[in-house]
């Protein structure tokens, strides 16, 4: 998967709502365990993950399996960050990549305009008038730490729309970005419209295990009225070097 695209099957992330049916989370648990095995095939190793998994037999779960799912999903984050193979999927290193609320993200926006969430499950910024667009310096971001040093691409689904507003014009002013040290790569939204479409940045090299990712207006102002983003993904391009802490 050299020069891998950020278009891929997404990790299994579950909304752990209360349940009444016995063993209802066992299929989800087995999917999570399979995801862990796939990470191991990419060179991943984690004592924390191994300890958690050693205590779980998915075919002999007492209760609904919710506790076991939560334990495995938490341990998968550390296992994810220890992958080494070209094209490895590091999406689990992102907190809340599929935007179920704003947990894990810092959402900075001006007083004018609406945001940061659209129906609770995607990011948005709505600049309803020209004044809001002139002052639309929004930035929804998070910093990922503990990544293996190497080269990555960031992807997400985005839109940018003028909403046929008089005086609004579509321009490549909003988009996806990733920052490592003094280097930033960006991917402008290039089409006007209300349908989310996949975008990805160019490659960026991480040298200290830290990567800031986000979506923001990439120019001084926002030309269109509405921007939205969802489904963030992170992939390694080429082999990566596992940090000494793992």
């Amino acid at each position: 998967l050299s020069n891998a695209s950020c278009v891929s099957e997404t990790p299994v992330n579950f909304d752990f709502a209360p349940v009444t049916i016995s063993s209802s989370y066992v299929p989800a648990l087995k999917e999570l365990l399979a995801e862990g095995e796939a990470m191991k095939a990419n060179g991943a190793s984690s004592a924390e993950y191994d300890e958690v998994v050693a205590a779980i037999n998915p075919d002999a779960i007492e209760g609904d399996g919710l506790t076991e799912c939560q334990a495995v999903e938490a341990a998968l984050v550390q296992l994810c960050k220890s992958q080494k193979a070209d094209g490895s999927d590091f999406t689990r290193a992102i907190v809340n990549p599929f935007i179920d609320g704003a947990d894990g993200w810092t959402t900075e926006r001006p007083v004018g305009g609406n945001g940061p969430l659209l129906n609770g499950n995607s990011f948005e910024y709505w600049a309803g008038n020209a004044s809001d667009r002139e002052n639309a310096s929004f930035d929804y971001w998070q910093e990922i730490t503990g990544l293996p040093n190497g080269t990555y691409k960031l992807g997400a689904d985005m839109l940018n729309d003028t909403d046929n507003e008089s005086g609004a014009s579509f321009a490549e002013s909003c988009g996806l970005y990733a920052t490592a040290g003094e280097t930033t790569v960006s991917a402008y939204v290039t089409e006007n419209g209300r349908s989310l479409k996949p975008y990805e940045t160019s490659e960026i090299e991480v040298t200290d295990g830290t990567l800031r990712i986000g979506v923001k207006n990439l120019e001084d102002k926002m030309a269109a009225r509405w921007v939205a983003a969802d489904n963030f993904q992170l992939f390694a391009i080429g082999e990566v070097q596992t940090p000494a802490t793992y």
Side-chain angles (χ1 to χ4, degrees):
L1 290 175
S2 181
N3 296 322
S5 169
C6 287
V7 177
S8 173
E9 293 185 6
T10 54
V12 181
N13 286 261
F14 299 98
D15 181 9
F16 294 118
V19 296
T20 57
I21 302 173
S22 178
S23 301
S24 64
Y25 286 106
V26 171
L29 175 61
K30 290 182 177 180
E31 289 188 55
L32 290 168
L33 293 171
E35 185 180 341
E37 289 305 307
M39 290 181 186
K40 286 189 170 185
N42 285 335
S45 63
S46 165
E48 175 189 346
Y49 177 83
D50 290 343
E51 181 179 353
V52 168
V53 171
I56 296 173
N57 180 351
D59 296 316
I61 296 294
E62 296 182 3
D64 60 20
L66 171 59
T67 300
E68 290 82 0
C69 274
Q70 291 173 323
V72 173
E73 189 163 45
L76 278 173
V77 175
Q78 199 81 336
L79 185 67
C80 171
K81 291 180 180 180
S82 70
Q83 295 177 100
K84 302 175 184 177
D86 180 4
S88 292
D89 185 344
F90 280 81
T91 300
R92 277 209 179 271
I94 304 172
V95 179
N96 188 18
F98 307 120
I99 317 303
D100 181 14
D103 289 349
W105 296 82
T106 297
T107 55
E108 301 172 348
R109 63 186 180 88
V111 175
N114 295 330
L117 294 172
L118 173 65
N119 299 324
N121 55 17
S122 65
F123 280 142
E124 75 160 350
Y125 182 77
W126 171 264
N129 55 54
S131 176
D132 289 341
R133 292 195 298 275
E134 287 288 339
N135 297 302
S137 182
F138 74 95
D139 188 359
Y140 305 155
W141 61 275
Q142 70 172 266
E143 187 174 88
I144 305 170
T145 59
L147 286 173
N149 290 335
T151 305
Y152 294 85
K153 277 186 179 181
L154 176 68
D157 295 335
M158 294 193 66
L159 66 81
N160 197 2
D161 182 50
T162 63
D163 193 36
N164 297 315
E165 172 72 6
S166 176
S169 63
F170 178 76
E172 295 180 354
S173 61
C174 297
L176 181 68
Y177 76 94
T179 298
E182 299 298 319
T183 301
T184 296
V185 293
S186 305
Y188 288 97
V189 179
T190 57
E191 295 183 39
N192 180 24
R194 292 194 161 204
S195 297
L196 288 167
K197 296 184 178 181
Y199 291 89
E200 64 180 37
T201 66
S202 55
E203 299 175 5
I204 187 165
E205 185 173 1
V206 171
T207 59
D208 63 356
T210 301
L211 183 67
R212 173 168 167 161
I213 66 170
V215 55
K216 65 179 180 178
N217 59 303
L218 300 170
E219 302 296 339
D220 293 335
K221 63 181 181 179
M222 186 169 160
R225 296 186 77 187
W226 188 31
V227 62
D230 204 352
N231 303 325
F232 289 79
Q233 298 179 69
L234 183 66
F235 285 83
I237 307 300
E239 293 185 359
V240 292
Q241 302 172 7
T242 305
T245 52
Y246 293 105

